[in-house]
Amino acid sequence: MLGKCGNKTSGNLTVDFSARYRMFHSVMQCTEEGLLQVDDLVQRYTHSCSWFLGPFYHLVRLFHPDYVKPLLMAPASITVKDELIYGHLRPWLGQSLLLCNGEEWSRRRRLLTPAFHFDILKNYVTKFNTSTNIMHDKWRHLVAKGTTNVEMFDHVTLMTLDSLLKCAFSYNSNCQWSASEYVSALVELSDLIIDRRQKILHHWDWFYWKTQQGKQFRKALNVVHRYMCDNNDEDGQGLTDEEIQAEANTFMFAGHDTTASAICWTLYNLARHGHYQEQCRQEVMDLMQGRDRHEIEWEDLSNLPFTTMCIRESLRLHSPVQAVTRKYTQDIALPEDRTVPKGAISLVSIYGTHHNPAVWTNPHEFHPLRFDPTNTAGRASHAFIPFSSGPRNCIGQKFALAELRVVVALTLLRFRLTLGVNPQLGSRSGGVRRLPQLVLRAEGGLWLQLEPLIPHNLEECQDE
């Protein structure tokens, strides 16, 4: 069993009081310093540590594949989403697949899984191409006007939102060209949730809803829910209207922001490592050779092995989601006779696992060949978990990986990327400070320089 926090024992699931304070601060600190603190914890404890947040929460943080695996692979019937991390999402996402438990979760997962079948995903690739083309048209307009320094998150987030609306609701929102109240509300809700997590008194609803932030949250929430009501597909396949709205909100929340983060950081990593970027570009050019149109097709996705390696390495180095949390209705056995007691909040640190020097050689370096098949044979099954794992893994991971490959391939085909300059700081993005919010972003944005490679008039001819 776990020792009490403050006792120094031979088991690594206990920490001293000063470390406990630093961990409390780091778990609430959504900054570059917070991530560096996680690095320190991983270096010190190797696989796991335990602490209390005041008298309210008992948490166990785990960051080694051997310790992560028993938790993520535990049956869904004994797995519960905790309220500390996920409870603040409930007013927004309701009793959706992300938040429900037990038999209700099993029913929803069973009903929703067919929506992510390969036969369905094939039809989405055309929509990925269309939304990416719109973003690239915007970039060309900017370059033509003399603007080559572009903040990636602003553009890519709108593109993934546009793409998701097309795929999920067959809705052409035009959000990449026009201001959207819905997009603004999504961003505000995300910011307010992070703000609420960092203020312990705001964890209680009776207090939070009386604050200015709580009132702002309700206002933004009304915008999002109204938008979903106006644009929902009525084919619920066994779900009630309320359940459809909850899943639609969850799909939009979990589907566009996470994928946008993954795309932005992949492009950033390739901008930092020009030789890998050129290798990916050549792979895409070889694939496009002899074609009249520059469009990625479903069958192409399996023919981009090196580009896919770069995407996977970027997902390791800059995972969109830094951690997932769980509670269990019974004790969970860990290696070396350790136990996570039932009711404790288990924080599976995706970031910590992906940056653990006991698992990865030079974990802070971008090295795509880690994911060459010849180098993965002896790797622990849970060393790489950007989409979590087990029965409650990310239902949309195939959707995300397909979109990632389409967007990255088309972008490298049409643009050369180099590190840009943050106008506020006057410094190049090589010194970027990571910003772990609901998804991983960058302080002040992620700025890249764009150099068009294919004349616009040539592509127009191909599209006719």
Side-chain angles (χ1 to χ4, degrees):
M1 292 290 287
L2 291 169
K4 293 181 179 179
C5 278
N7 295 339
K8 288 189 175 181
T9 73
S10 58
N12 279 0
L13 289 181
T14 60
V15 296
D16 58 38
F17 283 108
S18 62
R20 188 200 325 171
Y21 172 77
R22 292 196 302 273
M23 285 189 292
F24 170 81
H25 192 54
S26 71
V27 81
M28 306 303 282
Q29 187 179 15
C30 299
T31 62
E32 175 73 19
E33 287 73 22
L35 292 178
L36 295 177
Q37 184 64 57
V38 177
D39 291 333
D40 290 343
L41 290 172
V42 173
Q43 190 74 38
R44 181 175 182 179
Y45 296 105
T46 308
H47 52 68
S48 53
C49 54
S50 174
W51 75 102
F52 294 87
L53 300 185
F56 307 110
Y57 303 115
H58 177 199
L59 294 95
V60 182
R61 185 189 293 240
L62 307 103
F63 31 77
H64 189 283
D66 295 345
Y67 282 68
V68 163
K69 183 176 180 178
L71 297 169
L72 294 183
M73 298 304 291
S77 59
I78 67 169
T79 304
V80 179
K81 290 295 183 78
D82 71 276
E83 292 300 306
L84 172 62
I85 302 297
Y86 294 99
H88 303 154
L89 294 170
R90 205 170 295 282
W92 181 1
L93 307 182
Q95 276 296 107
S96 64
L97 184 69
L98 180 67
L99 302 180
C100 63
N101 302 298
E103 287 302 317
E104 180 59 25
W105 174 86
S106 298
R107 183 181 76 91
R108 293 198 183 208
R109 181 83 180 205
R110 184 176 64 253
L111 289 170
L112 292 169
T113 295
F116 297 92
H117 190 275
F118 283 120
D119 289 338
I120 302 294
L121 294 179
K122 287 180 183 178
N123 299 322
Y124 292 158
V125 171
T126 299
K127 295 176 170 55
F128 297 158
N129 278 269
T130 300
S131 295
T132 306
N133 291 344
I134 294 171
M135 180 176 71
H136 289 166
D137 283 344
K138 288 175 62 182
W139 289 1
R140 291 190 189 96
H141 281 289
L142 289 172
V143 172
K145 293 178 180 179
T147 300
T148 59
N149 191 49
V150 175
E151 200 288 302
M152 288 291 108
F153 273 96
D154 285 346
H155 290 263
V156 176
T157 301
L158 287 176
M159 184 276 298
T160 56
L161 178 62
D162 180 35
S163 176
L164 200 52
L165 288 168
K166 286 182 170 73
C167 293
F169 308 118
S170 301
Y171 180 65
N172 292 314
S173 65
N174 201 37
C175 66
Q176 294 199 65
W177 288 109
S178 304
S180 168
E181 184 185 28
Y182 173 69
V183 174
S184 298
L186 280 180
V187 172
E188 186 174 14
L189 285 176
S190 298
D191 290 344
L192 287 168
I193 286 170
I194 290 297
D195 179 75
R196 186 178 183 185
R197 284 181 182 174
Q198 295 173 333
K199 297 174 179 175
I200 196 72
L201 286 177
H202 287 196
H203 287 208
W204 283 271
D205 286 347
W206 63 267
F207 183 87
Y208 182 67
W209 298 123
K210 296 176 183 178
T211 66
Q212 184 60 38
Q213 293 93 329
K215 293 172 183 176
Q216 288 177 254
F217 191 95
R218 284 194 189 279
K219 184 177 179 181
L221 193 62
N222 288 336
V223 172
V224 168
H225 283 173
R226 185 174 67 249
Y227 188 91
M228 282 293 105
C229 287
D230 292 342
N231 295 290
N232 244 337
D233 187 340
E234 294 302 319
D235 182 14
Q237 298 183 353
L239 297 171
T240 67
D241 289 346
E242 184 179 351
E243 289 171 338
I244 294 171
Q245 179 169 323
E247 300 305 344
N249 278 314
T250 299
F251 194 38
M252 296 307 299
F253 159 73
H256 88 279
D257 229 11
T258 49
T259 309
S261 175
I263 292 169
C264 289
W265 287 108
T266 300
L267 297 179
Y268 165 79
N269 283 312
L270 291 173
R272 287 191 67 195
H273 300 88
H275 57 300
Y276 291 140
Q277 182 183 159
E278 289 300 328
Q279 194 170 341
C280 290
R281 182 176 293 111
Q282 189 59 54
E283 183 174 70
V284 181
M285 290 173 66
D286 291 345
L287 195 62
M288 293 292 110
Q289 194 169 9
R291 297 192 188 182
D292 294 331
R293 296 171 61 88
H294 287 159
E295 183 171 305
I296 303 297
E297 300 172 355
W298 172 259
E299 291 73 21
D300 295 331
L301 300 183
S302 59
N303 294 316
L304 293 167
F306 187 74
T307 303
T308 301
M309 281 188 255
C310 289
I311 289 170
R312 291 187 182 280
E313 174 65 346
S314 189
L315 286 170
R316 183 197 67 81
L317 192 60
H318 293 101
S319 294
V321 176
Q322 302 301 293
V324 294
T325 57
R326 304 281 190 268
K327 288 171 67 174
Y328 298 91
T329 58
Q330 64 185 53
D331 292 353
I332 301 293
L334 298 179
E336 303 180 40
D337 294 325
R338 290 179 170 86
T339 302
V340 174
K342 73 174 184 177
I345 298 174
S346 299
L347 189 150
V348 174
S349 177
I350 296 173
Y351 175 88
T353 304
H354 286 180
H355 293 79
N356 193 330
V359 179
W360 302 92
T361 303
N362 299 320
H364 297 283
E365 294 182 8
F366 183 77
H367 184 46
L369 291 177
R370 300 180 202 271
F371 290 93
D372 187 291
T374 60
N375 296 327
T376 59
R379 185 172 299 151
S381 61
H382 284 66
F384 180 63
I385 48 171
F387 301 101
S388 186
S389 181
R392 297 205 64 151
N393 68 349
C394 173
I395 194 173
Q397 60 182 290
K398 293 185 178 68
F399 179 98
L401 284 171
E403 185 169 17
L404 265 161
R405 282 177 282 188
V406 170
V407 177
V408 171
L410 288 178
T411 299
L412 297 183
L413 184 67
R414 295 166 178 167
F415 296 90
R416 180 171 286 109
L417 307 173
T418 53
L419 296 180
V421 177
N422 184 329
Q424 294 179 337
L425 302 177
S427 61
R428 293 201 168 269
S429 292
V432 68
R433 285 172 54 85
R434 297 163 296 178
L435 186 64
Q437 297 187 316
L438 288 181
V439 299
L440 185 65
R441 293 179 170 271
E443 287 186 26
L446 204 56
W447 295 82
L448 298 182
Q449 288 277 350
L450 304 175
E451 178 190 342
L453 296 175
I454 299 177
H456 192 189
N457 57 354
L458 176 60
E459 289 220 297
E460 284 178 340
C461 291
Q462 293 171 341
D463 289 341
E464 289 176 356

